[in-house]
Every structure is written in structure tokens, then in C-alpha cells.
Amino acid sequence: METKNIAALLFLLAALLCHVRTGGAQRSCDKSDVTVWTGFYAFVGTVPRQPLYELEVGTSCSCPMKDVRISCGGLEKSMEPLDASEVELHDGMCLLKKPVVRGSPVIFTYSSDVPVNFRVVNATPYC
């Protein structure tokens, strides 16, 4: 075999071994890997009482997700103050202050007498 062919073959073999050893190429993570779940928690306030909900933001991505922004219009009227260490609210947009890590969701509570339509607007993988 020619030297060029041997070099090319060795390069391809090395690339294949690297691919196998690292478990293959991981697909890129994006905002679709971030999940938002909400469920009833309790009631707050006196009369009228508002339902208190727990919001859980998680990810299936192996990389932490940072700069997570969720559309959360309606939370401005929450009787329960949002946890300022977890989330910041501006003009109907919730910005999570911590990265979302697989297996460790970001959780906070809110109150609302009308349904809130949460939608992930942005999330950036940090690998």
C-alpha cells in the first residue's frame, strides 16, 4: 500500500475508535429539551383564596441548560411572591437564575386564579 493510503486508513481508524469510545456523537440540545410541569400545591390568601401551584423546570439534556426563559404572562398578579433566588419576572417573561441540570429541576411556587400558559422561549446548552 502507498504511504498516503496507509495514513488515510490510520486516520479513519483513529476517528472510528474515538467515536466508539465516546459513545457516538451526541445530538445538540436545545429549548425542546427543557420541560415545564406545573401542579396544584395548596391555597393561599384569605378571601378570595388563590390556588398555589408548584412549577418544575427540568431537562433531558446531558448538558446544563442556561439562560432559560419561559413565557409566563399572568404571574405578575401572583399573590405568592416568586422566589427571587430562582426566577426573575419581567414583562410576562420568567428568567431562571440557575442553570437547569438533568436530575435537578428548578422548582418554585406561584399563585394564580387563571391558567398560565408556560412556553419555553430560550435555553442554551452549556457543555
Side-chain angles (χ1 to χ4, degrees):
M1 264 190 179
E2 287 185 25
T3 306
K4 284 184 179 181
N5 288 344
I6 292 173
L9 184 61
L10 289 175
F11 175 77
L12 288 173
L13 183 59
L16 179 63
L17 287 174
C18 181
H19 181 75
V20 169
R21 192 175 69 191
T22 60
Q26 177 183 345
R27 80 170 178 80
S28 179
C29 297
D30 62 21
K31 69 181 184 181
S32 67
D33 293 298
V34 175
T35 56
V36 178
W37 176 87
T38 188
F40 176 75
Y41 188 70
F43 283 102
V44 293
T46 52
V47 177
R49 293 169 37 136
Q50 276 194 356
L52 181 66
Y53 298 95
E54 185 174 76
L55 183 79
E56 181 176 300
V57 183
T59 184
S60 58
C61 182
S62 61
C63 299
M65 300 297 276
K66 65 178 189 168
D67 192 30
V68 176
R69 296 177 188 273
I70 300 170
S71 172
C72 58
L75 289 191
E76 297 88 351
K77 299 175 185 174
S78 177
M79 289 179 70
E80 177 75 11
L82 299 179
D83 185 346
S85 69
E86 298 287 345
V87 64
E88 195 173 294
L89 178 63
H90 291 289
D91 298 324
M93 191 67 62
C94 289
L95 171 63
L96 300 187
K97 291 189 169 182
K98 300 176 184 175
V100 180
V101 179
R102 184 169 61 186
S104 294
V106 174
I107 300 172
F108 61 92
T109 57
Y110 70 94
S111 64
S112 179
D113 55 355
V114 295
V116 177
N117 183 22
F118 296 102
R119 182 177 50 84
V120 179
V121 174
N122 187 66
T124 306
Y126 186 70
C127 289

